[in-house]
Amino acid sequence: MTTPKESAPAPHDAHVRAVLAEQPTGGPAPDARLLGLFDAMAGSRLLDIQARRMRERGQGFYTIGSAGHESNALVAEALRSTDPALLHYRSGAFFLARALQAGRPLTEALRAVLHGVVGSVADPASGGRHKVWGDASLSVIPQTSTIASQLPRAVGTAFAIARAQRLGLPTRWPRDAVVVASFGDASINHSTAAGALNTAGYCLRQGLPLPIVFVCEDNGLGISVPSPQGWVAEAAQRPGIHYVYAEGDEPDSVSAAAAEAVAIARERRRPALLHLRTVRYLAHAGSDVESAYRSPAEIAAELLHDPLLALAAELTGVDLAARYAEIADTVAALADELLDAATLTSAAAVMAPLVPADPAVISREALRRPDDERRGEVFSGRLPEDAGPLTLAQVINAALADALVTRPELLVFGEDVGRKGGVYGLTRGLQARFGQARVFDTLLDEQAILGLGLGFGVSGLLPVPEIQYLAYLHNAEDQLRGEAASLKFFSDGAFTNPMVVRVAGLAYQRGFGGHFHNDDAVGVLRDIPGIVVAVPSRPEDAAPMLRSCLAAATTSGQVSVFLEPIALYHERDLHEPGDRGWLGDYDPSADAPIGVGRTHGDGTDLTIITYGNGLRMSLRVVARLAERGVQSRVLDLRWIAPLPAEDILREAGASGRVLVVDETRRSGGVGEGVLSELVDGGFTGPMARVTSKDSYIPLGDAADHVLLSEADIEAAALTMLGLRPLQAAPLQTAPLQTAPLETAPLEPAPLEIAASVSVTELVSELVTEPIEFGAPTDVPIGDPDAVVDGAEPPEALLYDPEAEAEPPLPPPPGPPGAEPAETVPPEYVPTDAVGSFLARGPAWSVSETGGHTAEELHDEEAEDPSPDRPRRGFHFGRR
């Protein structure tokens, strides 16, 4: 490239040079400490000016600078180079000061920053993917032009340091490390900042150690919007968080305040917040015309508060003007040197950090487990693989227990997951077995929950947070998109945050619900680069899928979402009540590789591709199609990101025609991706898709109007096959008569229908109960408290190694108006868990499962455990 023309000093640069030239050079020898801080602050200022010049010439790509914030170098001085730092984007002086603190020459630190400005692959922060402050060897975790979104992770990192010490586990940080997280004054208004500060105070109130220093660098502006006078000081002072204040142009004050805050965090393991008043020079960024919203007088007044010149005033015995000019020349020479630096030149190179680990490596790790003796101790001598067929909920519970045994670094946490055992009982008993340090409840804040996971993961632990419902994920989704999934990418693989996020979701719950408990919006997850989204449907698939997610997290730092269909948690039957067709065995040696589906059946007339609740509905439809001679196969995707593309094309080719059954919305659902894979893969056979409507999910039976049904699937399949639906014989019913309220309920007249007609083909308005597509009408879905009169209460949600042998199935419910059979033994005592089970007395002891006796339950249901007592409404456990 041609040598760039020499640029004249910028006006602000000229001002600094002029002031330094007037400073006396005589006096005592300069203080080495202050001289090092001057170098860091001057280097940061000159990097900002050079970045502007490079951008003007088309040689650089980032101009958001740190000018005016250089007093954060004094914050770096108060810390150690091994303390994890999550930095504001105006942290140039902090970064250079930390590099000098670690013993690196100033030239090396300046070159590292310029590598990022030009997008060089040698950039230690991101490998040329973004200009961020980051360097694993300096414990600086790269951020993404953060607007406080790194603060939940910072809190999680501080929590991880203390929790690992309590558990005797190693992390990548020293045991007495302190986390530092900086952010701007405008960012203190962001929900991530408010939530992080709230979480810190919440932890302190519970007596939990949290060694973190928040640094709010307050220049009074959010680009052009001024912060109200005094607002930051008020907003920054939170219950329990030690608050200190310093003016950035008073070096001694900054040093003292930073030292005080760090001492609180390091010695007392308590959170502190340093409110650092700064100024902003060179506008917000290179494209920002500051004069459009600030008067010349305002801009000029800030020149009197320059932190660089304030520090320079304390130095003697050195020609600072010459030293400043020398650093400027070094920066310019380094910039010229990097004009031909190698950059990313292909999509493969850009995406290299997103490439998953070798499937063989993941499989080996997934099958790792302790010996059966240790497992036998945890499972009280009765291993889950010897327990017989289990529900989806029981398998997930057993798999979590196995994982906690196998991986001592694994932590399970979320709302109501501890003592309660989860609103659907999936973590029941885990806290009692593994302790409150490893299985614990959190505050009600999904951003905080995911932030804890991010901090645990980046520190070397293995977090398994639970988001109580899919709809609750959306207000915190950026913690997955902008923080979790991006860290490996923007750090060039130097940092990862392995994590498996369990989410209860999808629709088809009965007995309660509405939008927030029947959410099917998965599009927001599927377009996050590098993320894995698993949807286990069959019980026998759930454990190996969970093991694969955990193994990928361990081997390559993978972030996965384990999306669990709530309506299938406690389902037992497939085709008929009592057929037990939806139970499955627990196999600790089974493998379910990421991105590999599972095919049910081998028919060649039709291929149905589905997942989640769609699998059960499709298998029921396939059975009815078989009665008409149609031989089908069903591909359970199991993984909706990445999609099992090879399986999709193979199974489509096996029949030549494909029906995609997608329970999510028509727009932005999974089916669109499946059809794209078919088209891109060259499949030319007939294709069709059935989905739910583009609607929120309403309460009660109204949901049936917008959710995909078995009738929809069957009709689409018959259409593809060129077959007509079977018609029901005329229904002979007596005309309805208005009866007095005190009379007995009306009974429907007998229905005369053809022997081959299926339930889904009946005219729904003439049936006394609405058809619940996807489930037998006498089996409660989702909410196990919604027990149908006369039916057996659901069995325990948790796999219990000491549970009694399974009782025989109860008789089906009698006709309307008949007395229900007495099937609930008097020793059954309801727990306080939502979706709770009725546990047999001695089989579920408090010491072994964390269950509660009636005396411990502080609700009216515990006071009256009679099975005949009317059930209360759904107990949401939150909000």
Side-chain angles (χ1 to χ4, degrees):
M1 297 180 66
T2 59
T3 303
K5 296 179 181 180
E6 190 63 35
S7 298
H12 183 81
D13 186 33
H15 169 75
V16 172
R17 290 174 187 259
V19 173
L20 292 177
E22 296 177 359
Q23 184 164 322
T25 59
D31 183 296
R33 166 183 163 268
L34 293 179
L35 201 58
L37 288 168
F38 176 85
D39 288 348
M41 295 169 75
S44 177
R45 181 73 57 86
L46 290 162
L47 283 169
D48 289 346
I49 294 169
Q50 187 66 36
R52 303 292 179 95
R53 291 172 176 161
M54 296 175 74
R55 185 71 196 102
E56 291 171 1
R57 303 168 186 164
Q59 299 165 346
F61 307 98
Y62 194 84
T63 58
I64 296 180
S66 306
H69 285 246
E70 290 89 355
S71 53
N72 56 35
L74 296 161
V75 178
E77 181 193 33
L79 294 155
R80 301 171 185 165
S81 63
T82 53
D83 288 330
L86 299 91
L87 300 177
H88 183 42
Y89 48 68
R90 302 194 190 279
S91 298
F94 182 107
F95 182 83
L96 296 179
R98 173 159 286 198
L100 296 177
Q101 186 183 50
R104 297 184 185 176
L106 178 64
T107 301
E108 181 181 334
L110 295 171
R111 181 183 287 108
V113 176
L114 288 168
H115 272 299
V117 172
V118 301
S120 165
V121 296
D123 169 26
S126 72
R129 291 169 182 82
H130 192 36
K131 170 62 185 74
V132 292
W133 301 112
D135 190 325
S137 64
L138 296 176
S139 302
V140 179
I141 304 170
Q143 307 306 310
T144 55
S145 295
T146 48
I147 307 300
S149 61
Q150 84 276 30
L151 297 190
R153 183 205 299 277
V155 172
T157 304
F159 195 102
I161 291 170
R163 183 52 52 96
Q165 186 171 356
R166 175 177 171 182
L167 293 170
L169 296 172
T171 70
R172 69 185 300 162
W173 324 116
R175 289 167 61 86
D176 64 344
V178 166
V179 177
V180 61
S182 56
F183 57 101
D185 56 293
S187 297
I188 202 170
N189 302 300
H190 199 275
S191 64
T192 47
L197 294 172
N198 181 74
T199 303
Y202 186 94
C203 289
L204 184 65
R205 177 58 61 92
Q206 291 186 306
L208 298 171
L210 200 75
I212 185 171
V213 174
F214 299 99
V215 181
C216 181
E217 299 184 16
D218 176 10
N219 63 31
L221 288 167
I223 303 184
S224 67
V225 180
S227 296
Q229 185 69 30
W231 168 246
V232 174
E234 293 181 16
Q237 298 188 51
R238 301 299 180 96
I241 299 178
H242 186 80
Y243 173 87
V244 288
Y245 176 82
E247 292 283 349
D249 61 342
E250 298 176 2
D252 291 341
S253 172
V254 176
S255 291
E260 179 182 342
V262 171
I264 290 290
R266 196 178 308 280
E267 297 169 13
R268 300 177 61 186
R269 315 308 279 171
R270 294 166 62 98
L273 189 147
L274 169 58
H275 180 187
L276 181 60
R277 190 70 173 91
T278 66
V279 291
R280 190 190 74 185
Y281 299 142
L282 306 179
H284 172 71
S287 60
D288 179 31
V289 182
E290 193 172 32
S291 59
Y293 53 85
R294 301 185 78 191
S295 69
E298 287 178 296
I299 297 172
E302 290 201 335
L303 295 178
L304 302 175
H305 301 284
D306 191 330
L308 172 61
L309 296 178
L311 182 83
E314 297 193 0
L315 276 162
T316 60
V318 61
D319 186 345
L320 291 179
R323 193 176 187 92
Y324 183 86
E326 181 181 353
I327 295 173
D329 291 343
T330 299
V331 170
L334 289 171
D336 291 345
E337 182 184 305
L338 296 180
L339 291 180
D340 295 318
T343 59
L344 298 166
T345 57
S346 69
V350 171
M351 298 168 64
L354 300 177
V355 175
D358 184 345
V361 173
I362 295 176
S363 291
R364 285 195 297 271
E365 177 64 22
L367 297 179
R368 179 173 66 87
R369 67 178 189 268
D371 58 42
D372 285 346
E373 181 179 353
R374 173 68 182 122
R375 295 180 69 230
E377 294 174 0
V378 170
F379 289 109
S380 302
R382 188 178 180 219
L383 298 177
E385 56 265 36
D386 299 328
L390 303 173
T391 64
L392 179 65
Q394 291 171 319
V395 166
I396 293 174
N397 179 270
L400 288 170
D402 245 342
L404 284 160
V405 177
T406 305
R407 306 176 187 279
E409 74 279 13
L410 188 146
L411 304 172
V412 175
F413 54 95
E415 299 163 19
D416 301 304
V417 305
R419 183 184 179 198
K420 188 179 187 66
V423 294
Y424 293 99
L426 271 75
T427 57
R428 189 167 178 80
L430 297 182
Q431 187 179 84
R433 295 184 190 185
F434 298 97
Q436 295 182 4
R438 296 187 65 196
V439 181
F440 55 92
D441 293 316
T442 66
L443 74 172
L444 194 156
D445 179 1
E446 284 75 21
Q447 285 187 142
I449 293 170
L450 294 178
L452 289 174
L454 294 174
F456 291 156
V458 78
S459 299
L461 304 177
L462 181 53
V464 183
E466 177 186 300
I467 300 298
Q468 203 167 81
Y469 289 98
L470 177 59
Y472 299 164
L473 173 67
H474 302 316
N475 69 333
E477 191 264 342
D478 184 60
Q479 290 297 301
L480 287 179
R481 178 183 302 274
E483 297 293 323
S486 70
L487 180 61
K488 189 177 180 181
F489 181 82
F490 286 119
S491 69
D492 196 22
F495 288 96
T496 63
N497 37 228
M499 182 164 63
V500 179
V501 185
R502 290 184 49 249
V503 183
L506 303 177
Y508 301 98
Q509 291 193 80
R510 297 291 176 177
F512 72 95
H515 166 62
F516 281 103
H517 303 91
N518 286 278
D519 186 27
D520 58 6
V522 300
V524 73
L525 295 171
R526 290 196 62 246
D527 73 341
I528 301 176
I531 201 169
V532 166
V533 183
V535 184
S537 303
R538 291 286 310 172
E540 64 270 19
D541 288 336
M545 290 175 69
L546 181 60
R547 288 195 294 266
S548 289
C549 290
L550 293 171
T554 300
T555 57
S556 63
Q558 179 67 55
V559 177
S560 298
V561 173
F562 201 72
L563 183 58
E564 301 163 4
I566 300 173
L568 299 178
Y569 272 156
H570 313 303
E571 183 56 72
R572 302 165 57 86
D573 304 324
L574 176 54
H575 299 295
E576 301 292 341
D579 68 10
R580 300 167 59 81
W582 207 256
L583 300 178
D585 292 327
Y586 185 92
D587 183 356
S589 63
D591 191 18
I594 292 173
V596 176
R598 179 186 175 192
T599 302
H600 298 261
D602 56 3
T604 57
D605 295 328
L606 175 67
T607 297
I608 296 178
I609 300 177
T610 188
Y611 64 97
N613 294 289
L615 176 62
R616 184 171 182 274
M617 290 191 289
S618 296
L619 291 174
R620 289 162 60 88
V621 168
V622 163
R624 292 195 290 273
L625 292 176
E627 295 175 1
R628 302 186 63 176
V630 177
Q631 301 303 311
S632 309
R633 63 180 61 208
V634 179
L635 172 62
D636 178 10
L637 296 170
R638 301 199 296 188
W639 311 91
I640 61 173
L643 287 170
E646 292 184 9
D647 298 325
I648 290 171
L649 291 170
R650 183 189 65 249
E651 298 305 321
S655 71
R657 65 170 61 84
V658 175
L659 175 61
V660 179
V661 173
D662 182 2
E663 67 180 280
T664 62
R665 299 169 189 166
R666 184 170 184 81
S667 301
V670 177
E672 293 175 344
V674 175
L675 292 177
S676 296
E677 292 289 354
L678 289 167
V679 173
D680 293 347
F683 180 74
T684 58
M687 294 177 281
R689 175 173 63 128
V690 285
T691 70
S692 293
K693 301 293 192 293
D694 284 342
S695 170
Y696 296 104
I697 300 173
L699 190 67
D701 293 342
D704 295 337
H705 298 298
V706 296
L707 289 176
L708 175 69
S709 69
E710 288 185 25
D712 297 331
I713 301 169
E714 189 165 356
L718 292 172
T719 298
M720 290 196 75
L721 294 164
L723 300 175
R724 297 181 63 185
L726 290 176
Q727 299 297 320
L731 300 176
Q732 299 180 2
T733 61
L736 295 177
Q737 300 293 330
T738 303
L741 293 178
E742 64 271 13
T743 61
L746 291 174
E747 295 188 10
L751 303 181
E752 296 185 4
I753 59 176
S756 61
V757 174
S758 63
V759 171
T760 57
E761 294 163 333
L762 297 179
V763 183
S764 60
E765 61 267 27
L766 295 180
V767 180
T768 56
E769 294 293 335
I771 298 299
E772 297 184 1
F773 295 114
T777 57
D778 61 341
V779 178
I781 300 296
D783 179 13
D785 267 350
V787 178
V788 178
D789 288 345
E792 174 87 355
E795 61 180 305
L797 307 189
L798 170 70
Y799 164 66
D800 178 21
E802 294 190 351
E804 299 175 8
E806 185 175 318
L809 290 171
E819 288 295 324
E822 179 61 46
T823 60
V824 184
E827 66 268 24
Y828 273 52
V829 180
T831 72
D832 63 343
V834 175
S836 62
F837 59 85
L838 302 177
R840 294 186 186 274
W844 293 91
S845 65
V846 175
S847 62
E848 292 171 356
T849 68
H852 311 304
T853 63
E855 291 75 18
E856 295 176 287
L857 305 180
H858 305 293
D859 61 23
E860 59 184 355
E861 195 166 52
E863 295 169 5
D864 181 7
S866 169
D868 296 325
R869 187 181 183 281
R871 294 286 178 182
R872 293 181 299 160
F874 178 70
H875 176 200
F876 290 96
R878 61 170 283 153
R879 287 175 169 76

